[in-house]
Amino acid sequence: MSELSMEVNGRKVTGDVPARTHLGDFLRDKVRLTGTNLSCEHGVCGACTVLVDGKPVRSCITFAVACEGKQVTTIEGYDNDPIMRRLREAFHEKHALQCGFCTPGMLTTSRDIVLRLADADERRVRIELSGNICRCTGYQGITAAVMSVLEALREQPDPEVDALRRAAAEGKAALPEPAKAEEFAGFTAVQRPVAKPAAPAAAAASAQSAAPSQAAAGDKAGKGSSIQGGFDVPFPASRVWEFMSDLPAVAGCLPGAAIEEQVGDEVKGKISIKFGPMAAAFKGAAKLERDEAAMSAVLRGAGQDTLSQSRAKGDVSYRVVAVSDQASRVEVDLLYSLQGPLAQFSRSGLVQDFVRRMIAEFGRNVAKRLDLPEGAEPAPQAEFSPFKMFMSVLWDRIRRFFGGKA
Ligand code: FES
Ligand code: FES
């Protein structure tokens, strides 16, 4: 094993890898930046192209240990890059991608062309791109996209691009400005209209002890993914509301969550999630806004997974509805958005099912805690098994697919 340290997209990354590990595997498997695609793994197709100290290299034939102390830029690292911004728009406008598999490599090579060859004509662009293979054969659109960026810059020079070109001409690494980790920027109070509780008689018909209710999922006006769920508990609404207003108690019932600091209704903490191949530990802050009269609250939070650098923002709204004198329902509405490598998981049906299971598990824990005699210490939570839950979600999906009942 070799100890390794490099900068990837402006962030220091260390690891222990067998000396034969290539950079592509290191980036995908250890750094979890899966935007770098691997195809031929022989240095032929160009799909795996990344920048090392500002120069394009094939990460499938570059040893990771050869990049010790170097600056590596992957397709995830161009948020603030003026050339990539233009290229992304041009690829979209000129239909330069179909399946998108070659696109990270194509964009990286195209950026290098725009950087080095301000006067390139179409023939030169095609020659420069000849090391990148598109299995969808979208070369016409790709060449048109690169040409349109070059022509636009010739017509109207861009000082930011010029600065990068000057740096490259002087032999310096013309790297994109690393994206700043999104910091939690505080809260803005929002008056959220609270829907009227359902009529107790109608709700009573569906009351079940700690059972998950029907849930729906969708996209709320482009603000992110939304999942609605809920659970029923056999306790009066006022008692459930009192419990649901106590942040540490609520966090104690949420699988994987831990509060590290609390000041009034503001908390800092973390939540760990493991879902199939995806594992993340989001650290962040949240604030609870309560509407005592309506027995509803919104927990607004934002956090970041330090490993994948994915960022999450979300509102968890909940309200307690009296089903009868001795039973209540907690309706939960989760609105969230993910940025960064984990964003690819945010809308998958599996994730939606998984979150609903989490809500149901949360409901069971709330019911258990409410059932404790006055003053009794809650027993430590039984070990939560995300793997077991993931497999059960998967199994239900398979059964549904083959016509069985979930
Ligand atoms: S995967 Fe590296 S060149 Fe094809
Ligand atoms: S767009 Fe599919 S491989 Fe290029």
Side-chain angles (χ1 to χ4, degrees), residues 37-49 58-61:
N37 287 332
L38 292 168
S39 183
C40 68
E41 298 197 58
H42 279 78
V44 176
C45 72
C48 64
T49 307
R58 318 247 161 191
S59 62
C60 71
I61 50 168

Side-chain angles (χ1 to χ4, degrees), residues 6-221:
M6 65 176 79
E7 206 178 279
V8 180
N9 301 336
R11 184 168 64 96
K12 190 166 176 217
V13 164
T14 53
D16 251 346
V17 291
R20 66 175 182 277
T21 304
H22 65 58
L23 179 61
D25 274 349
F26 178 74
L27 292 170
R28 290 179 59 89
D29 300 343
K30 299 281 181 203
V31 194
R32 298 195 192 174
L33 292 175
T34 50
T36 301
N37 287 332
L38 292 168
S39 183
C40 68
E41 298 197 58
H42 279 78
V44 176
C45 72
C48 64
T49 307
V50 298
L51 299 184
V52 174
D53 284 349
K55 302 238 168 8
V57 303
R58 318 247 161 191
S59 62
C60 71
I61 50 168
T62 304
F63 286 126
V65 289
C67 300
E68 170 68 34
K70 300 199 181 219
Q71 291 176 298
V72 175
T73 309
T74 69
I75 195 67
E76 291 92 346
Y78 292 101
D79 280 5
N80 298 327
D81 185 64
I83 301 179
M84 204 53 105
R85 200 159 49 228
R86 286 166 177 270
L87 282 167
R88 275 195 297 256
E89 275 167 30
F91 267 55
H92 173 71
E93 270 167 26
K94 304 288 179 189
H95 309 291
L97 67 157
Q98 287 90 63
C99 78
F101 190 85
C102 69
T103 310
M106 283 289 182
L107 281 169
T108 306
T109 305
S110 302
R111 179 185 183 272
D112 185 60
I113 297 171
V114 175
L115 189 66
R116 286 185 302 110
L117 304 164
D119 298 321
D121 58 9
E122 189 181 319
R123 187 170 172 276
R124 182 67 193 265
V125 168
R126 284 180 180 274
I127 291 169
E128 294 285 331
L129 281 173
S130 61
N132 288 72
I133 294 172
C134 172
R135 60 189 177 181
C136 301
T137 66
Y139 301 107
Q140 192 64 40
I142 295 166
T143 311
V146 178
M147 283 307 298
S148 75
V149 171
L150 285 169
E151 279 156 13
L153 284 169
R154 288 199 277 260
E155 269 167 37
Q156 192 164 6
D158 175 337
E160 283 187 281
V161 175
D162 288 345
L164 285 172
R165 282 175 167 166
R166 273 196 304 278
E170 289 164 14
K172 297 182 192 148
L175 296 173
E177 189 75 18
K180 289 201 179 51
E182 186 174 292
E183 275 163 19
F184 186 60
F187 298 95
T188 334
V190 176
Q191 200 65 43
R192 175 174 275 233
V194 179
K196 289 256 180 301
S206 61
Q208 267 184 305
S209 173
S213 69
Q214 285 301 310
D219 193 322
K220 285 215 172 154

